Amino acid sequence: MLFTSDKAIYLQIKELVMEKILLEEWLPDTKLPSVRDFGAEIEVNPNTVMRAYDILQQDQIIYNRRGVGFFVSPEARALAQQEKKKEFIETELPTFFKTMHLLKMEINEIINLYNDYKS
């Protein structure tokens, strides 16, 4: 995995896990890769993965079965979607709107481009 320098690696791992849940690659009650295996897969220290898993567990997106491992919680998709939507509205949308304004783009142009993207 390629990490960016603008955000802590454990937060980028958290986002990766949420993306897999939102894309339904990891379904409710599915066992996540072990901390060690996931660390090896994405080439990071297992302690960094553990930090991401801890936050995801605090956010109730994943849960731990003692001695068995971490699993996707039944409400993970809704919680991840809610968190990502809030982050998008608060951080990315203002920049997007500013750029639209600077380029004198109308919302109809964006709607058409979005509809083309969805097709």
Side-chain angles (χ1 to χ4, degrees):
M1 178 172 171
L2 294 175
F3 295 101
T4 61
S5 60
D6 65 334
K7 191 180 286 191
I9 291 175
Y10 73 94
L11 292 175
Q12 293 177 64
I13 295 169
K14 176 187 174 193
E15 288 180 358
L16 174 63
V17 171
M18 290 195 310
E19 183 177 305
K20 287 182 176 294
I21 291 167
L22 290 171
L23 292 171
E24 297 182 331
E25 292 177 21
W26 292 354
L27 299 172
D29 296 313
T30 301
K31 187 177 186 302
L32 275 67
S34 72
V35 169
R36 191 175 311 273
D37 289 346
F38 200 40
E41 180 183 329
I42 60 174
E43 300 176 345
V44 299
N45 187 306
N47 292 332
T48 306
V49 174
M50 189 65 219
R51 191 167 182 193
Y53 279 12
D54 281 340
I55 291 173
L56 288 160
Q57 186 175 8
Q58 289 171 20
D59 293 344
Q60 299 177 343
I61 293 171
I62 66 173
Y63 64 94
N64 186 8
R65 286 190 193 156
R66 195 166 207 99
V68 179
F70 289 94
F71 293 78
V72 177
S73 73
E75 60 279 342
R77 192 165 197 280
L79 292 170
Q81 193 171 39
Q82 180 181 348
E83 182 174 329
K84 293 292 286 177
K85 185 175 184 177
K86 182 177 187 272
E87 180 183 330
F88 175 74
I89 289 169
E90 291 175 356
T91 60
E92 295 180 40
L93 215 46
T95 303
F96 178 80
F97 287 148
K98 180 180 179 182
T99 302
M100 275 183 63
H101 177 74
L102 291 171
L103 298 175
K104 299 188 183 334
M105 292 181 77
E106 295 297 323
I107 196 70
N108 289 338
E109 289 179 71
I110 303 302
I111 291 170
N112 290 336
L113 290 168
Y114 179 68
N115 286 333
D116 289 344
Y117 171 79
K118 287 190 331 184
S119 305

